[in-house]
Amino acid sequence: MIVGLGNPGPEYARNRHNIGFQVVDLFAERHRLKFDKAQKRARVALGHVALTAPAAPWRGRVLLVKPITFMNASGEAVGPLAKFYKVAAADILVVFDDLDLPVGRLRLRPDGGSSGQKGVKSIIQSLGVEAFPRLRVGIGRPPGQMDPADYVLQGFSAAQEEEMAFVRIKAADAIETWLAQGVVAAMNKFNVT
């Protein structure tokens, strides 16, 4: 189960806060999966993925999830879907934005707290555990005295957007490595300083 975090609606589509949706959309496009079903307060895409190099050969069924609950209530979709599909927390990868990472930096972890990210906090509460992998995508800190809540709801600057086009590809590659080789291999490859 691969969960992208974001806010539903076209007005939020290119916001920094929606990088999780953007990455999962790219992954779906790569593997010809369609978000053609609404289930448990989410848009879902279910299908088989076959991977070859560079990730490693792997074939399996994946469930892609984009909660439509708005970011801060993401657990209201993720928990019920995990229960319905009988997916263990360790087999759920959550992709989301992180203010504390520089723009474009990726950071995979096998578990951990919410680090103040309210969507992740909601998922932790819904699953009842912190032990699920996560892929954090750096969006940087807001400039000056700007409110972080306003910052995450803005789009990337033109220069940042150019960089983020490559970062989305790299994040989709990280998902493939996680699927084929596990979280440790993905961390070793993508948690570059």
Side-chain angles (χ1 to χ4, degrees):
M1 184 172 175
I2 302 160
V3 180
L5 298 189
N7 288 314
E11 67 272 29
Y12 299 107
R14 301 309 294 171
N15 291 173
R16 289 178 176 95
H17 222 18
N18 275 41
I19 194 70
F21 278 11
Q22 296 163 21
V23 169
V24 171
D25 282 340
L26 177 60
F27 182 88
E29 185 180 312
R30 269 188 189 181
H31 297 284
R32 296 188 177 104
L33 299 174
K34 302 281 186 213
F35 285 94
D36 56 3
K37 186 176 182 181
Q39 186 178 19
K40 309 281 185 195
R41 303 190 71 198
R43 299 293 306 160
V44 299
L46 184 62
H48 285 87
V49 170
L51 301 173
T52 56
W58 182 86
R59 181 169 172 78
R61 194 171 131 176
V62 297
L63 174 67
L64 304 181
V65 175
K66 296 192 304 184
I68 57 172
T69 57
F70 286 91
M71 175 71 76
N72 295 353
S74 297
E76 293 175 16
V78 175
L81 282 167
K83 185 175 182 178
F84 181 82
Y85 285 100
K86 297 177 176 58
V87 179
D91 294 327
I92 300 170
L93 177 66
V94 179
V95 184
F96 61 96
D97 62 291
D98 192 316
L99 286 164
D100 293 324
L101 287 176
V103 172
R105 182 79 45 88
L106 299 179
R107 188 72 70 229
L108 282 121
R109 292 282 182 258
D111 56 26
S114 69
S115 300
Q117 217 286 358
K118 292 178 182 173
V120 174
K121 182 179 180 182
S122 174
I123 294 171
I124 290 169
Q125 290 171 339
S126 179
L127 295 176
V129 297
E130 293 182 348
F132 56 88
R134 66 249 1 232
L135 172 57
R136 298 164 35 209
V137 181
I139 61 169
R141 298 295 304 172
Q145 300 296 317
M146 180 183 251
D147 182 352
D150 293 334
Y151 177 73
V152 299
L153 295 177
Q154 292 180 350
F156 293 100
S157 69
Q160 290 172 335
E161 184 54 49
E162 197 171 302
E163 180 180 359
M164 292 308 293
F166 293 104
V167 171
R168 290 180 192 97
I169 292 168
K170 198 164 103 174
D173 292 345
I175 293 170
E176 291 176 352
T177 301
W178 172 74
L179 283 169
Q181 300 174 26
V183 71
V184 173
M187 287 168 60
N188 289 337
K189 185 171 183 179
F190 294 95
N191 288 2
V192 181
T193 56

